[in-house]
Amino acid sequence: MSALTAILGAKRAYVTENFDPGMSRTIASWEDGKPGPVREYALSGTPCAAVMSHGVQIVDCELGRRYSLERSSIGFGCESFVGSPIVNREGEKVGQVCVFGAKPLRDPEMASALVSLAAVRVSAELEHRQQQAALARSEAYSKAIVATAAEGIITLDAGGRIESVNRAAEKMFGYEARELIGRDINVLMPEPYRGKHTGYIKRYVDTGEGTICGAGREVPAQRKDGTQFPIYLAASEVVVDGERCFAGIMRDISEQKMAEESREAVERRFRAVFEQRHQLSGILSVEGEVLEANRKSREFGGVEGESVTGRRYWELPWWSHSFEMQRRVREAIQSAAEGETVRFEATRPRADGQMATLDFSVRPIMDSDGKPVFLVTESHDITEHRLAEEEARQHRARVAHVSRLSTLGEMAAGIAHEINQPLTAISLFAQAGRRLVEAGRFERMDEVCHKLNEHALRASEVVERMQKMARQGENIKEIVDCNELMESTVKLAESEARIYDIQIEFDRGRGLPPVSVDGVQIQQVALNLLRNGMEAMMEEDSRNGRSILIRTRLRPGNEIEVSVTDNGCGVSQECADKLFTPFSTTKTSGMGMGLSISQAIVRAHGGSIDFRNNDGGGTTFWFTLPIVEGEALYER
Amino acid sequence: MNDSQTVYIVDDDEGVRDGLSLLLSTVGQSCELYECAHDFLDSYENDKRGCIVLDIRMPKMTGLDLQARLIEMGSSLPIIFITGHGDIPMAVEAMRRGALDFIRKPFREHDLLERINEALNLDEDAHRKALKRQELADKVSSLSEREREVFDKVADGQMNKVIAADLGISERTVEVHRGQVMKKLGARTLAQLVRTKIETQLIEEAV
């Protein structure tokens, strides 16, 4: 600038830059042989404006006459002007170099050339400065970022030696930066990686073998105190001045890892439990979509996991055998989605096609607000259990049947008598009728025929009662009135009572709710008790009449009690102990099975059976039956 | 059949009672029906005539029990037992105690009616015999003490002379007493007198 003024003999020289539109500012100034202040000025009205719009301008003399520079901070009182625009790389005019002379220019062309040349140089200089500034800024930013970054950042030279360590890395590894700089990066690695890593980078640099860059990965690391921890490392390779160097950004992921591990452990435990369960388990969305099905359930259904997940549970192939099952399962899932637990006995085919009975349940898992978030299905294969139960039941039914037949055999005389009575009546009426017809006395025939029918029906009722007892029995539970059941039992027992000259009294309990029983079996129990009672009374004197009382009543606890009270000899302590044991009998006839079978029957019905010796002599045997609750009744 | 005779039916089975009653009515035989032994005993009098058709098995009091009571009470009503069972020991016991017969249910009307007839005839005979015995007893008791002594000795086959000596009276007086005895007892010959004596002895022995 000073050289320029000296060469041109100029009073002032400026390098300016434009800032706002129409405004310019000096970035370098030389006034009267020394550096001048920064001046800001409006271009308008100055020769500078022409430079910006038309390029290089020369005013060789009488500048003050051409421009009124009185109010401008530059060029006032000067005689000549040379200005050249500063053009940047993009071709924009960003400022100018201008020189004001105190005298008219002696050689305007030379002045113009010099100024233009200066403008070109300034332009280059400015460019360089801008770049420098940008670089410095960027470097400052980088440094700030590196220093304050939460991630540890370590740079290495091509030999794998540590060049820089940021604060986060210091903290992470427990070293101070100065302890690390210059050392091999493997100091931060645990064995056996440490040994293997030595020279790894150098070899990479020399031969290009192996990789160190690319996507981030999890690697083990070691602190100054020797503890190991996992880090997540992203490395990059940079070439600076032809020299390779490496930067690693790392994050301590031990906590994250621990969380992951514990999550994984929970998951593994859940898997282990869920998968290894002996039960068939599944997890469904509240909409009934299968999210998970455990191994057992997949095996059971003969399917692979993928083929069931995402499907509606009730549409799975193993329910397809029954529309009814599908409906029930769907309804159960809908109820569960509303917060209910539903359980019922379901049937579905096994993988081998065999039909299985399952104890099926679906229950909702609630969130903290009590809203179902998913559903858990569970099925327990109870086929074998049911089969065993069924077998036991059938066995019991067979034994009961044999016992009934045996009882009927013992009762044959009484039953024969029971049938003989109406037959006798029929025979008498028929013979009398014939005589009436022979005598032409038809007026009583209506009565005779009526009686014939009445007694024929009476006989058939006896036969029917006996047939019922003799039947194998389908072992079907039916809802019955206990009094009705006992009524017909009493009739059956009466055939024998007559032979023993015993009166059976029946005290009917009032307002008894119905029971769900196998009628024949319960009759068998009551009959057995009545017969035992009658037998116990055989020894007693019959002169004043012997009677046995059967009574029904409602007991607290939703049970009906049937009791049989005799005036017999009572039960001795010795007998009492083995009363319900099979084949124990004090009688000369019979198998000694009666009470043991009665007990089995009553228990199978959910009741109990026992006896007590009465104070006034005699014994009361009783058994209970659970009554049918309202809902079960409606189901029927 | 006799109007003064009644068939007493004791059976706990209404159908059997009704049937028997109807059948008997077709042959013009009157009957009375009892549901149990006690009912019959309550209304029983020794002068009842006819027969009893009795069920052997009944609650409270059996047919056998009733038979025993009737025997105790001196009843002579013939009893036909009826039963639905072939209960041999009971039948034997009943027959041993003098039952007329033992019929199993159901009955053939012929058998039943025949048995009832038989029973009624028995009853009739017994009744007639009883009447005759009564008549005889009345006649014997109408004799004076002396006449009775004479009757006993004549019937024993003693001569008038011996009787007179025994009693310390004249032979003539014996003859007068003997004529009076023959007249009172309605005997025309000695043989008739002897028979009356035997009959009297039998009755006295029986009592």
Side-chain angles (χ1 to χ4, degrees), chain A residues 568-600:
Chain A
C569 47
V571 178
S572 71
Q573 188 57 49
E574 187 191 347
C575 291
D577 294 337
K578 48 184 182 177
L579 205 57
F580 293 99
T581 315
F583 304 114
S584 78
T585 181
T586 55
K587 305 176 196 170
T588 47
S589 65
M591 298 191 295
M593 289 295 287
L595 280 176
S596 123
I597 288 164
S598 296
Q599 189 179 48

Side-chain angles (χ1 to χ4, degrees), chain A residues 413 417 420-421 424-425 427-429 431-432 434-436 444 448 451 455 458 498-499 501 503 542-543, chain B residues 12-13 15-16 18-20 22-23 25-27 57-60 62 65 84-85 105-109 113:
Chain A
H417 180 257
N420 220 14
Q421 294 289 71
T424 303
S427 156
L428 287 168
F429 280 110
Q431 294 171 66
R434 210 198 65 229
R435 283 175 178 274
L436 288 169
R444 293 194 71 181
V448 169
K451 291 278 184 190
H455 292 289
R458 210 178 115 203
R498 231 181 294 276
I499 293 181
D501 308 318
Q503 191 105 27
S542 71
R543 285 297 154 91
Chain B
D12 63 327
D13 193 280
V16 174
D18 287 355
L20 279 170
L22 183 66
L23 182 64
S25 79
T26 63
V27 295
R57 294 262 190 206
M58 284 183 293
K60 293 181 188 166
T62 66
D65 291 337
H85 323 272
K105 296 180 192 176
F107 338 98
R108 289 176 210 277
E109 69 182 333
L113 293 177

Side-chain angles (χ1 to χ4, degrees), chain A residues 218 223 228-231 252-269:
Chain A
E218 201 186 303
R223 295 193 185 90
Q228 294 184 15
F229 65 107
I231 57 170
D252 182 347
I253 55 170
S254 41
E255 273 180 28
Q256 181 189 337
K257 192 84 175 145
M258 260 155 67
E260 262 173 35
E261 270 170 7
S262 74
R263 206 165 51 239
E264 268 171 28
V266 167
E267 170 80 7
R268 253 198 316 279
R269 274 203 296 277

Side-chain angles (χ1 to χ4, degrees), chain B residues 181-198:
Chain B
V181 168
M182 298 280 275
K183 191 177 164 197
K184 279 186 178 174
L185 296 180
R188 281 190 299 279
T189 63
L190 179 63
Q192 280 178 344
L193 197 69
V194 171
R195 200 168 75 206
T196 303
K197 168 65 181 168
I198 292 167

Side-chain angles (χ1 to χ4, degrees), chain A residues 488-546:
Chain A
S488 64
T489 312
V490 166
K491 282 193 174 145
L492 207 54
E494 264 171 354
S495 60
E496 246 181 337
R498 231 181 294 276
I499 293 181
Y500 297 151
D501 308 318
I502 293 170
Q503 191 105 27
I504 300 177
E505 284 171 40
F506 181 19
D507 179 5
R508 291 163 186 77
R510 282 167 185 272
L512 299 187
V515 287
S516 169
V517 296
D518 180 327
V520 175
Q521 291 194 350
I522 294 305
Q523 273 195 310
Q524 179 178 4
V525 173
L527 180 64
N528 184 36
L529 297 186
L530 281 170
R531 294 186 68 235
N532 284 350
M534 291 193 288
E535 204 151 327
M537 286 163 68
M538 287 304 289
E539 306 306 316
E540 307 299 305
D541 185 17
S542 71
R543 285 297 154 91
N544 301 314
R546 296 181 290 207

